[in-house]
Amino acid sequence: MSVETNKETLGFQTEVQQLLDLMIHSLYSNKEIFLRELISNASDAADKLRFEALTDDSLFEDDPDLKIRVEYNKEQKTITVLDNGIGMSREEIIDNLGTIAKSGTRQFFESLTGDQNKDSQLIGQFGVGFYSSFIVAEKLEVTSRRAGLSREEGVRWISEGKNDYSLETVDRPKRGTKIVLHLRDEAEEFLNGHRLRAIINKYSDHISIPIVMDKEGEDEKGEETVNSATALWKRSKKDIKDEEYDEFYKHVGHDFEAPLAHVHNKVEGKLEYTSLLYIPARAPFDLWDREKRHGIKLYVRRVFVMDDAEQLMPAYLRFVKGIVDSDDLPLNISREILQRNRTIDSIRSGCTRKVLDLLADMALKDAEKYAVFWKEFGRVLKEGVIEVTDKQEDLARLFRFASTYDDKEEQAVSLEDYVARMPEGQKAIYYITADSFSTAKNSPHLEIFRDKGIEVLLLSDPIDEWLTTHLNEFDGKPLSSVNKGELDLDGNEGESEDEDKKKEGEKLEKEYQDIVKRIKEILDEKVKDVRITDRLTTSPACLVADEHDMGRHLEQILAASGQSMPGSKPILEINPKHLILRRLKDEQDEDRFRDWSNIIFDQALLSEGGKLDDPAAFVHRLNDMFVELSTEKQAD
Ligand code: ADP
């Protein structure tokens, strides 16, 4: 390491190497986006400088006109992208260009399969950024100086995108970053003014500061601005093409794929602001990360003031990306002030409304697109009914569920569909919760409903337990769990059956009085009560929660997450028409009766996805039964 330049060679973080390989492979047919990514970063750097300069004007030095310059040199086979934005210090270069600091990086690498073709599809989800330059460049040279540092504190970073990069201190009179790409032979097509201008127009027209290039005509001299250089959101909606909206999204959202939908809105009057909000097409890896950054950038009178302004969107809409530009907030607003600012509250509620309307509209007009949205973000949207109380009905209308209507795993049934199909006299919207779709679909609790042709919603997302404790009704109809409380489907059927059923019920009740009592004594530790039921047709028994107890599935979730439970015991309901129960009625052998009771209980627990306290005992009992049965058969 020499003293003057502090030159050193550093290794990339392992993941960087992996990412580079993958990127070069997957973006090979779309090389030109490297320029978009570099310009996007340069524009962010300009935003950051303008923001920091709000409190320290001297950062502008003698160079206040922010812009991005693109050059090319045919002889040297280089393309240069230059900005006079915030720049980077030595530490920042190491952090930003030697490692991947993105949240979700670990999950991303875990999700890679090793098969490059498959993995290529994933790169878009991860976002590409600076490293995409290596698709066209065999060597990159980044020279930067952070605003506010002296000219002797410039840094030069050089890498061939292999295992390492070199770093040295250089004299750098100008603030900002200069990136020189030494092109690979196959990328020489980019050494062409027309081509570069076309790429800038295609992807970066929306960048709000000028992107300049040298004029190229005969005897023309000086620079010209290539893009429109106005903030896209300030332009009139009718003048903005869908592609322009999409490209702007890729810039603000750091995304590779086009968004599903956008809503652009200008509010005038007492409060003035513009919002341009997007629904991404794919959930990011860190959607469930509590530390996750939110996607809204805040501008005040076109000056960028904050990334990830979480106050601008409720948490259940944290996947929304875009910008809000306010005319009313002070430029020096801090995160703390944002938290208790009435203007912000109004903007948030306005933006929330816009997003919910956008989704409702999508659901109505483009079910296919909405299905994509729901698959990616449905579980987040469901948090809404838990988080807020004033939008229950609006949110519930947007929800989609699996249902016994078609028994498909895809969540496509809306509560409106369900209600529209409800036969006259049905009192409630029925649902079942379980830890997987197949447990829900095959639950014994559904037997009677299938028998009677009553639709049941099949809920198996972990959040559904909380959802159903908060969403109690829809369209005036209560939501009712099929595995909780006594089942009363009577009102759902014709009146004439009532009398006969009642009589039959009373008869069975009497007949089974004794055995119910005996089972209850045996299972006393495990159950709160034992009763006969008519909800089962093919299973011998099932477990239900008492009306006011916590749902069985919620208990399992809490127990699994290590939270100690107050231990409300389930109720065992037995099917008096089932052969096992009919036989059990005549069972004289006390030990056998005990074994059967336990097996029935354990089975019921298993069929709802529960965990047995003592699985070995269950297997043991079952084997004993088999042996006995087969010996009996042989004796016959
Ligand atoms: P992303 O832009 O998605 O964060 P990148 O890999 O493109 O990821 O860039 C990594 C980081 O490097 C940026 O977040 C930024 O902090 C820094 N950076 C990149 N280009 C510039 C630039 N031209 N000026 C200042 N900082 C930059």
Side-chain angles (χ1 to χ4, degrees):
M1 206 199 275
S2 83
V3 184
E4 312 84 42
T5 63
N6 283 321
K7 186 158 183 171
E8 57 183 332
T9 301
L10 296 168
F12 280 121
Q13 177 194 13
T14 343
E15 282 86 5
V16 174
Q17 193 54 48
Q18 230 176 322
L19 185 70
L20 283 173
D21 290 345
L22 187 59
M23 196 170 290
I24 290 169
H25 184 269
S26 51
L27 297 176
Y28 204 74
S29 55
N30 200 5
K31 295 192 196 101
E32 61 190 26
I33 57 134
F34 79 90
L35 193 56
R36 172 188 81 190
E37 297 297 322
L38 294 182
I39 290 176
S40 176
N41 283 345
S43 161
D44 287 346
D47 274 350
K48 284 180 200 157
L49 175 76
R50 209 171 343 191
F51 176 62
E52 289 194 16
L54 291 173
T55 45
D56 181 2
D57 207 24
S58 72
L59 293 180
F60 276 124
E61 301 173 13
D62 57 354
D63 186 15
D65 295 327
L66 298 176
K67 62 180 178 186
I68 300 164
R69 196 177 143 75
V70 178
E71 297 167 2
Y72 67 99
N73 184 320
K74 277 196 164 152
E75 285 72 50
Q76 293 172 4
K77 293 193 199 161
T78 56
I79 289 178
T80 302
V81 179
L82 234 137
D83 70 65
N84 56 356
I86 192 73
M88 284 177 276
S89 66
R90 194 180 182 104
E91 290 71 45
E92 283 169 329
I93 283 219
I94 297 177
D95 285 350
N96 293 332
L97 308 186
T99 56
I100 310 171
K102 281 197 172 79
S103 50
T105 302
R106 214 197 39 184
Q107 291 101 301
F108 176 76
F109 283 96
E110 277 168 7
S111 69
L112 295 182
T113 59
D115 173 344
Q116 281 207 330
N117 284 327
K118 270 192 203 146
D119 292 345
S120 306
Q121 328 247 324
L122 294 171
I123 194 93
Q125 264 166 290
F126 187 71
V128 282
F130 169 79
Y131 299 112
S132 63
S133 307
F134 282 111
I135 313 170
V136 294
E138 55 188 17
K139 183 166 118 179
L140 278 181
E141 230 180 287
V142 180
T143 313
S144 193
R145 170 164 71 76
R146 198 183 201 289
L149 295 182
S150 69
R151 56 181 286 171
E152 293 81 33
E153 292 176 274
V155 215
R156 178 164 300 141
W157 177 103
I158 299 179
S159 175
E160 291 175 7
K162 303 264 164 56
N163 300 314
D164 52 23
Y165 58 91
S166 72
L167 206 59
E168 65 182 312
T169 303
V170 294
D171 179 48
R172 179 78 186 148
K174 281 188 183 322
R175 160 199 88 224
T177 304
K178 172 178 166 185
I179 300 179
V180 182
L181 298 90
H182 296 266
L183 297 189
R184 297 172 193 277
D185 291 342
E186 322 85 86
E188 283 181 28
E189 58 183 289
F190 295 107
L191 296 170
N192 174 316
H194 282 301
R195 183 74 198 276
L196 292 173
R197 282 176 168 77
I199 299 173
I200 294 170
N201 282 321
K202 180 170 172 194
Y203 296 111
S204 309
D205 191 57
H206 59 78
I207 295 292
S208 60
I209 57 172
I211 303 169
V212 302
M213 286 182 71
D214 281 338
K215 289 187 185 155
E216 291 196 34
E218 296 274 313
D219 51 60
E220 291 214 63
K221 284 216 159 34
E223 285 178 353
E224 64 180 352
T225 300
V226 180
N227 64 329
S228 327
T230 45
L232 179 98
W233 63 89
K234 285 290 179 189
R235 287 165 53 192
S236 152
K237 269 198 252 190
K238 62 179 188 336
D239 298 335
I240 307 175
K241 293 202 266 318
D242 277 349
E243 298 83 60
E244 293 181 279
Y245 276 121
D246 287 359
E247 287 308 326
F248 182 69
Y249 164 76
K250 291 178 193 169
H251 166 61
V252 287
H254 293 266
D255 199 347
F256 185 67
E257 267 181 82
L260 271 190
H262 70 260
V263 55
H264 185 184
N265 183 44
K266 200 170 167 142
V267 175
E268 279 163 337
K270 232 171 70 194
L271 192 68
E272 304 213 342
Y273 67 90
T274 304
S275 61
L276 173 50
L277 306 169
Y278 292 91
I279 312 289
R282 222 195 281 253
F285 286 99
D286 52 1
L287 188 63
W288 301 103
D289 183 352
R290 279 179 198 280
E291 306 285 293
K292 185 198 144 50
R293 315 192 306 185
H294 287 230
I296 309 292
K297 284 189 178 200
L298 177 63
Y299 287 73
V300 172
R301 291 179 290 283
R302 259 184 287 166
V303 176
F304 164 79
V305 298
M306 201 179 294
D307 254 330
D308 324 322
E310 64 267 18
Q311 301 305 324
L312 291 173
M313 271 293 147
Y316 70 88
L317 294 180
R318 61 181 173 275
F319 51 84
V320 174
K321 299 205 165 150
I323 63 98
V324 168
D325 186 354
S326 155
D327 285 353
D328 305 307
L329 291 167
L331 271 165
N332 60 353
I333 193 154
S334 67
R335 279 187 201 269
E336 291 66 46
I337 295 175
L338 276 192
Q339 278 172 8
R340 38 195 165 77
N341 180 294
R342 291 189 35 207
T343 305
I344 288 289
D345 290 345
S346 316
I347 296 178
R348 180 177 52 223
S349 89
C351 289
T352 303
R353 184 75 273 147
K354 283 287 158 196
V355 173
L356 294 183
D357 288 350
L358 175 68
L359 291 173
D361 192 59
M362 193 198 295
L364 193 71
K365 296 188 182 140
D366 193 342
E368 223 169 278
K369 206 185 233 191
Y370 192 76
V372 174
F373 161 76
W374 184 256
K375 190 159 167 274
E376 296 295 317
F377 301 110
R379 285 176 301 165
V380 184
L381 198 68
K382 284 179 185 172
E383 292 173 14
V385 290
I386 301 162
E387 206 175 303
V388 295
T389 47
D390 62 335
K391 298 210 166 44
Q392 303 264 338
E393 187 94 6
D394 284 345
L395 283 166
R397 228 169 264 286
L398 293 172
F399 294 169
R400 297 291 180 270
F401 303 100
S403 157
T404 55
Y405 176 67
D406 56 8
D407 272 338
K408 290 211 179 96
E409 187 159 11
E410 191 199 343
Q411 301 177 355
V413 171
S414 72
L415 290 172
E416 276 169 303
D417 296 338
Y418 184 104
V419 169
R421 284 195 286 260
M422 272 168 75
E424 206 169 319
Q426 184 174 329
K427 295 175 194 158
I429 297 171
Y430 294 103
Y431 67 86
I432 180 167
T433 51
D435 60 359
S436 74
F437 170 74
S438 60
T439 310
K441 186 177 103 169
N442 300 316
S443 167
H445 291 98
L446 297 183
E447 287 167 11
I448 184 77
F449 289 86
R450 290 193 189 278
D451 219 38
K452 291 183 188 288
I454 299 174
E455 181 173 355
V456 179
L457 300 174
L458 306 169
L459 276 48
S460 57
D461 285 339
I463 188 156
D464 288 336
E465 278 296 344
W466 282 275
L467 174 87
T468 51
T469 54
H470 286 81
L471 184 69
N472 300 317
E473 59 163 53
F474 177 79
D475 198 14
K477 321 246 172 343
L479 263 75
S480 178
S481 164
V482 305
N483 40 8
K484 223 171 156 182
E486 294 236 36
L487 194 61
D488 173 18
L489 290 178
D490 287 351
N492 292 326
E493 299 155 39
E495 292 290 313
S496 60
E497 269 179 308
D498 277 11
E499 252 332 278
D500 296 350
K501 262 190 69 185
K502 218 164 140 195
K503 271 199 194 129
E504 193 197 328
E506 279 163 10
K507 194 175 138 234
L508 282 169
E509 195 93 41
K510 233 189 217 132
E511 226 176 291
Y512 276 83
Q513 220 169 18
D514 271 353
I515 131 164
V516 162
K517 204 168 139 233
R518 279 169 73 194
I519 299 179
K520 200 174 157 184
E521 277 165 15
I522 292 167
L523 297 176
D524 184 47
E525 302 248 296
K526 297 179 181 166
V527 302
K528 190 170 190 170
D529 199 4
V530 178
R531 63 188 180 215
I532 60 171
T533 185
D534 58 4
R535 80 169 93 210
L536 301 171
T537 56
T538 50
S539 298
C542 67
L543 299 176
V544 295
D546 213 352
E547 193 74 61
H548 303 291
D549 283 349
M550 199 180 287
R552 300 273 310 139
H553 182 230
L554 181 55
E555 271 185 30
Q556 284 166 19
I557 293 179
L558 291 176
S561 72
Q563 302 191 41
S564 69
M565 289 309 312
S568 62
K569 293 189 245 172
I571 294 165
L572 179 73
E573 291 197 346
I574 53 172
N575 175 5
K577 294 178 188 147
H578 197 279
L579 200 59
I580 294 188
L581 272 306
R582 296 224 304 265
R583 290 252 172 87
L584 199 58
K585 206 150 53 98
D586 306 320
E587 181 59 66
Q588 300 305 325
D589 183 327
E590 202 43 51
D591 285 342
R592 256 212 212 183
F593 190 93
R594 171 174 299 277
D595 281 347
W596 273 117
S597 302
N598 275 300
I599 287 175
I600 289 169
F601 174 84
D602 287 352
Q603 270 191 1
L605 189 60
L606 281 178
S607 69
E608 63 172 37
K611 244 179 99 187
L612 299 182
D613 278 345
D614 188 353
F618 173 72
V619 173
H620 200 72
R621 279 192 197 107
L622 214 54
N623 287 341
D624 281 354
M625 292 297 177
F626 290 147
V627 172
E628 254 176 66
L629 286 174
S630 56
T631 347
E632 270 169 28
K633 219 167 187 179
Q634 269 173 2
D636 281 349

